[in-house]
């Protein structure tokens, strides 16, 4: 019976490991917001959970957008006006949260926007504690499953944080690359414009200098 109890405990630990690494509460999305448009998204939350939203404008004139976050009760809990990035964290209530990106102030330029959602305390703790019901008898083998689970959860948290940082770094890289390409096009445009102006000015100066030395007086014979 003790061997069976140990086997069941090991099996439940494996199931917990799989579920711990397969369930992700982080998500990110990149989309194009046309000029003069507003796009809204919804996220279902539980009571006393935590919702963190981070966004960046990757491409578009001025790299700015309006943002607001609305609770299920209809209250605006966070707002940004004409900003290129932002981070907002709120303690949630039960229901659907709505967050919108507004580009109606721009009549010409579309925006490429990246955002990431991080959800905490969504109520998965009870399921992850089911393995403790099978731990009886495992003390003979000095198996500290609770310490193992704490370590695994710590590793999972750090891996999630690393993934989040890498995603944000990719977003920063994409925005910097778009900005550099835009600056490159502007530099080329103004360089060509200045070159044409210099050629025209040089031609006008040559013409004026030649006209000064031309003898237009008529000689009589």
């Amino acid at each position: 019976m003790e061997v069976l109890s140990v086997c069941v405990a090991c099996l439940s630990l494996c199931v917990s490991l799989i579920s711990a690494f397969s369930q992700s509460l982080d998500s990110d999305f990149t989309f194009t917001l046309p000029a003069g448009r507003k796009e809204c998204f919804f996220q279902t939350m539980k009571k006393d959970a935590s919702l963190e939203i981070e966004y960046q404008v990757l491409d578009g004139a001025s790299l700015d957008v309006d943002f607001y976050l609305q609770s299920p009760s209809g209250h605006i809990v966070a707002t940004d006006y004409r900003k290129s990035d932002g981070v907002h964290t709120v303690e949630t209530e039960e229901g659907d949260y709505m967050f919108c990106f507004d580009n109606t102030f721009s009549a010409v330029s579309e925006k490429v926007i990246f955002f990431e959602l991080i959800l905490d305390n969504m109520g998965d703790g009870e399921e992850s504690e089911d393995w403790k019901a099978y731990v009886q008898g495992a003390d003979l083998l000095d198996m500290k499953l609770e310490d193992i689970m704490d370590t695994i959860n710590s590793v999972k948290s750090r891996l999630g944080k690393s993934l989040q940082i890498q995603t944000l770094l990719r977003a920063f890289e994409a925005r910097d690359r778009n900005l550099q390409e835009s600056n490159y096009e502007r530099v080329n445009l103004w360089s060509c414009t200045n070159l044409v102006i210099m050629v025209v000015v040089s031609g006008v100066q040559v013409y004026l200098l030649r006209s000064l030395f031309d003898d237009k007086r008529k000689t009589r014979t």
Side-chain angles (χ1 to χ4, degrees), residues 8-202:
V8 172
C10 293
L11 179 61
S12 61
L13 176 60
C14 294
V15 173
S16 299
L17 287 175
I18 295 174
S19 62
F21 284 97
S22 62
Q23 296 178 357
S24 176
L25 297 179
D26 300 346
S27 60
D28 57 84
F29 185 58
T30 302
F31 70 101
T32 300
L33 181 60
R37 293 283 300 277
K38 179 175 70 172
E39 294 288 346
C40 295
F41 302 87
F42 295 86
Q43 175 62 49
T44 302
M45 298 297 298
K46 296 182 179 181
K47 187 177 180 180
D48 297 329
S50 176
L51 170 63
E52 179 179 340
I53 301 177
E54 181 166 359
Y55 70 90
Q56 295 181 30
V57 182
L58 302 181
D59 194 13
S62 300
L63 296 177
D64 57 354
V65 72
D66 291 343
F67 170 85
Y68 69 87
L69 174 63
Q70 179 176 307
S71 66
S73 58
H75 296 89
I76 303 298
V77 296
T79 55
D80 287 330
Y81 297 100
R82 306 292 291 269
K83 294 189 63 176
S84 61
D85 56 76
V87 181
H88 298 282
T89 304
V90 294
E91 298 298 325
T92 62
E93 57 186 84
E94 186 80 20
D96 295 331
Y97 278 76
M98 179 178 71
F99 56 99
C100 299
F101 299 92
D102 192 349
N103 194 32
T104 55
F105 59 85
S106 178
V108 179
S109 176
E110 65 180 16
K111 308 293 173 61
V112 178
I113 300 175
F114 162 84
F115 69 87
E116 182 179 21
L117 300 179
I118 302 176
L119 314 180
D120 290 327
N121 302 326
M122 290 294 289
D124 295 332
E126 296 180 359
E127 296 180 1
S128 63
E129 297 294 329
D130 291 342
W131 62 273
K132 292 183 178 180
Y134 303 97
V135 178
Q136 296 179 358
D139 294 336
L140 297 177
L141 299 178
D142 295 330
M143 296 181 62
K144 299 181 179 180
L145 297 182
E146 187 171 357
D147 293 339
I148 295 176
M149 287 302 300
D150 291 341
T151 303
I152 292 173
N153 289 331
S154 177
V155 172
K156 176 191 173 185
S157 177
R158 294 181 181 180
L159 288 176
K161 191 65 176 179
S162 300
L163 180 61
Q164 176 190 358
I165 294 174
Q166 290 176 357
T167 303
L168 293 179
L169 289 177
R170 287 197 299 268
F172 278 119
E173 180 184 0
R175 184 176 68 176
D176 293 341
R177 183 175 63 251
N178 292 330
L179 185 60
Q180 290 176 358
E181 291 177 354
S182 177
N183 291 336
Y184 176 75
E185 294 175 357
R186 292 180 181 178
V187 169
N188 286 339
L189 175 62
W190 284 107
S191 298
C192 293
T193 303
N194 291 331
L195 179 61
V196 172
I197 293 175
M198 291 174 61
V199 171
V200 173
V201 171
S202 299

